[in-house]
Amino acid sequence: MRPYVVGLTGGIGSGKSAVADLFAERGVAIIDTDAIAHALTAPGGAAMPTIRAEFGDAVASADGALDRAAMRAMVFVEPAARKRLEAILHPLIRAESERRVVAQTVGSPYAILIVPLLVEAGGDYRSRVDRIAVVDCAEATQMARVMRRNGLAANEIERILAAQATRVERLAAADDVIENDGELAALPPQVMRLHLQYLEYSRHVC
Ligand code: ADP
């Protein structure tokens, strides 16, 4: 029996991690595709030999991790490099997330797969998750949170937001919406309601 998988997405600073933590407290397996991407490009990461072969040793730092600044500089000069990097990373992220979904869902009723750019990825991810849950808040709220969390300037955050799907696009893709414009205390009841639903849905998967 394959595990029931809920794809959790939302823009930067929308509150995906805060929501995922609440599902984890209820014993749900959490698989974070961003964490997988980081592990793949950390020192000794499985993607590094291919990345070095494709782009040269200049994109690796002394410890063997991906040098993100060097990679960004390369993408700036040659935008197609981003696609080449994604062509290396995406299949590896996909394989590792599928492996973790199976491994971690033992003893968990279902899995939450955090995919920040799920909507941007189009049909590919939709076919791999049973349900899409979107954490939603106003862009102004995202800006305020990311400024506080990452200390980024407003124009840097605006650039990131402009490269991501819009709120409307994300909501159009959502099966479930977790509203996170208010207090953190508003999250647990919403997560609990969805958790009960997902427990029910996951019983019917075969
Ligand atoms: P994401 O994973 O979507 O980027 P996070 O869950 O990391 O977002 O939330 C971004 C920041 O905003 C974090 O520092 C988090 O603690 C904070 N945060 C999230 N939701 C709320 C909320 N409802 N009220 C106040 N702060 C919040």
Side-chain angles (χ1 to χ4, degrees):
M1 198 162 94
R2 74 170 185 82
Y4 188 85
V5 180
V6 177
L8 180 67
T9 193
I12 185 170
S14 58
K16 295 179 291 298
S17 304
V19 167
D21 288 349
L22 293 170
F23 278 103
E25 281 175 16
R26 284 158 185 79
V28 179
I30 310 292
I31 295 98
D32 182 350
T33 54
D34 254 3
I36 293 173
H38 271 97
L40 287 168
T41 53
M48 287 314 297
T50 318
I51 289 174
R52 291 173 93 128
E54 177 78 18
F55 299 105
D57 286 338
V59 297
S61 36
D63 62 3
L66 179 67
D67 182 336
R68 285 167 212 286
M71 195 68 230
R72 267 196 303 274
M74 189 172 281
V75 168
F76 187 74
V77 177
E78 190 209 337
R82 181 190 298 283
K83 288 263 173 266
R84 282 159 58 209
L85 179 66
E86 286 173 358
I88 295 168
L89 283 176
H90 286 180
L92 293 171
I93 294 170
R94 179 181 178 142
E96 179 59 13
S97 56
E98 279 168 11
R99 192 192 67 73
R100 290 192 192 187
V101 161
V102 171
Q104 292 184 30
T105 313
V106 177
S108 162
Y110 61 92
I112 297 270
L113 182 65
I114 310 175
V115 188
L117 300 181
L118 188 148
V119 172
E120 292 80 348
D124 184 41
Y125 265 106
R126 281 155 198 266
S127 61
R128 294 170 47 207
V129 298
D130 296 288
R131 197 134 181 116
I132 295 177
V134 168
V135 186
D136 179 60
C137 67
E139 287 199 351
T141 311
Q142 289 177 266
M143 299 259 311
R145 287 188 191 144
V146 177
M147 272 183 187
R148 217 173 28 238
R149 183 187 64 184
N150 303 60
L152 292 180
N155 65 334
E156 291 175 288
I157 306 172
E158 273 163 10
R159 249 203 328 269
I160 296 171
L161 289 177
Q164 297 192 342
T166 63
R167 200 176 172 188
V168 171
E169 286 167 336
R170 239 182 247 111
L171 290 175
D175 295 306
D176 303 303
V177 178
I178 298 152
E179 198 277 310
N180 190 28
D181 243 322
E183 300 283 313
L184 275 172
L187 289 179
Q190 298 184 74
V191 167
M192 194 59 199
R193 185 178 53 76
L194 287 174
H195 177 57
L196 294 175
Q197 272 184 33
Y198 297 153
L199 283 177
E200 187 57 31
Y201 299 153
S202 59
R203 279 195 200 104
H204 301 295
V205 181
C206 43

